Amino acid sequence: MKAQAIVASLLAGLATGLGALVVVLVPNFSRRLYDTLLGFSAGVMLGAATLNLLMPALELGRLFTVVLGLVSGALLVLWLERNLPRLEPHFAPTVNGPGKRLGMLMAAAMTLHNLPEGLAVGVAFTPATQSLGIIVALAIALQNVPEGLAVAAPLRAAGCPPWAAVFWGTASGLTEPLAAAVGVLLVGLFGPFVPYGLALAAGAMIYVVSDQLIPEIRSNPKDKIPSLALVLGFLIVTILTKLFG
C-alpha cells in the first residue's frame, strides 16, 4: 500500500508535465482558454476535497476531529504563504515583464500547494480508505495539467527554451510523492490520524482553490466559461467517485 501511494502520487505529480507540453505544442493560446483550464482544475480539486476526502473523514472520525483537520489544513497553507517569500501572482500568464522570474515564482507556488495534494494521496491509500486512493490520485492528476501550463507559459513567453519550460513545469509536481510518503508514515504511526489527515488535506485544498484558483479565473468577470469548466471538473470527480468509490 505504501508503494502504491507513492507511485500514484508520482504519476499524478508528473501530470504537470502534460500541461507544460501545451506551451510547446500550442505556443499561442488565449487567456480565455487558460482561465477555462484553471476553472476545470478548481472544480476537480473541490470535488476531490469534498467527496473523496471530507466525506470519508466524516464517516471515519468524530465531527470535532474533522473540523479541527479542516481548520488546520487551511491555516497551514495560510501560514506557509505568510512565512515564505511572496509568490504573487500565483497563476496569471503574461508575455510582458520579467517572464522568467514570474515562471520561477509560479513553480515555487505550485510546489508549495502540491504538498497537501500529495498528503491527500498518501492518506487516501490507507487500508480504511484504499478504494479512494486511485480516485484521489486521478483527480489530482487531472487538475495538475493546467498547473504545469501555469508554470511553463511565462517561461516560454520570456524566451526560455522549450525543454527548460517543460522541465520546470514537470518539476513543480514532484513534491507530491514526498508529501504522500509523509502521509503514509503518519497513518502508519498513528492509526487515528486517518480522519484528521483526510480533513486536513481537504481544508488545505479548499483554501488553495478559494485563495488562488478562483480569483485568477475571474480575469474577465463577464466570461462564464471558466465557471462552467469548474462545474465540469466537479462533475467528473463525482462520476469517478460513483463508478469506482
Side-chain angles (χ1 to χ4, degrees):
M1 199 63 63
K2 295 179 180 179
Q4 286 180 330
I6 295 174
V7 170
S9 62
L10 175 62
L11 294 176
L14 289 174
T16 56
L18 297 178
L21 283 173
V22 172
V23 301
V24 177
L25 302 176
V26 187
N28 298 314
F29 56 89
S30 66
R31 175 66 200 230
R32 187 183 193 188
L33 174 59
Y34 190 92
D35 289 345
T36 300
L37 290 172
L38 285 185
F40 177 80
S41 175
V44 171
M45 287 186 72
L46 284 176
T50 55
L51 300 176
N52 303 141
L53 297 175
L54 184 57
M55 294 303 295
L58 287 169
E59 293 178 1
L60 295 171
R62 296 180 301 163
L63 178 61
F64 174 78
T65 302
V66 175
V67 171
L68 182 62
L70 273 171
V71 174
S72 299
L75 291 179
L76 173 63
V77 179
L78 176 62
W79 182 87
L80 289 172
E81 286 187 343
R82 289 189 172 181
N83 287 275
L84 292 175
R86 294 299 297 168
L87 300 175
E88 301 287 357
H90 291 294
F91 300 99
T94 178
V95 296
N96 300 315
K100 285 189 177 182
R101 179 176 178 273
L102 177 58
M104 297 309 296
L105 289 176
M106 285 181 181
M110 297 300 180
T111 300
L112 171 64
H113 100 246
N114 280 338
L115 291 175
E117 296 172 10
L119 178 65
V121 176
V123 175
F125 265 96
T126 62
T129 58
Q130 57 184 327
S131 62
L132 296 175
I134 295 296
I135 303 174
V136 173
L138 180 58
I140 290 174
L142 286 173
Q143 63 91 26
N144 272 348
V145 175
E147 294 179 2
L149 173 64
V151 174
L155 291 173
R156 189 75 185 101
C160 189
W163 67 266
V166 172
F167 170 80
W168 287 112
T170 304
S172 65
L174 295 183
T175 54
E176 291 192 8
L178 298 177
V182 172
V184 170
L185 177 63
L186 289 175
V187 169
L189 294 176
F190 310 102
F193 176 81
V194 173
Y196 175 81
L198 289 170
L200 184 146
M205 292 174 70
I206 292 171
Y207 180 90
V208 167
V209 171
S210 175
D211 183 58
Q212 300 178 6
L213 287 176
I214 290 179
E216 291 300 335
I217 69 175
R218 305 302 297 163
S219 63
N220 181 8
K222 294 182 179 180
D223 188 2
K224 304 305 179 183
I225 297 299
S227 296
L228 292 175
L230 186 151
V231 175
L232 176 62
F234 195 102
L235 176 62
I236 288 177
V237 175
T238 302
I239 294 173
L240 289 173
T241 302
K242 182 63 176 179
L243 291 177
F244 304 108

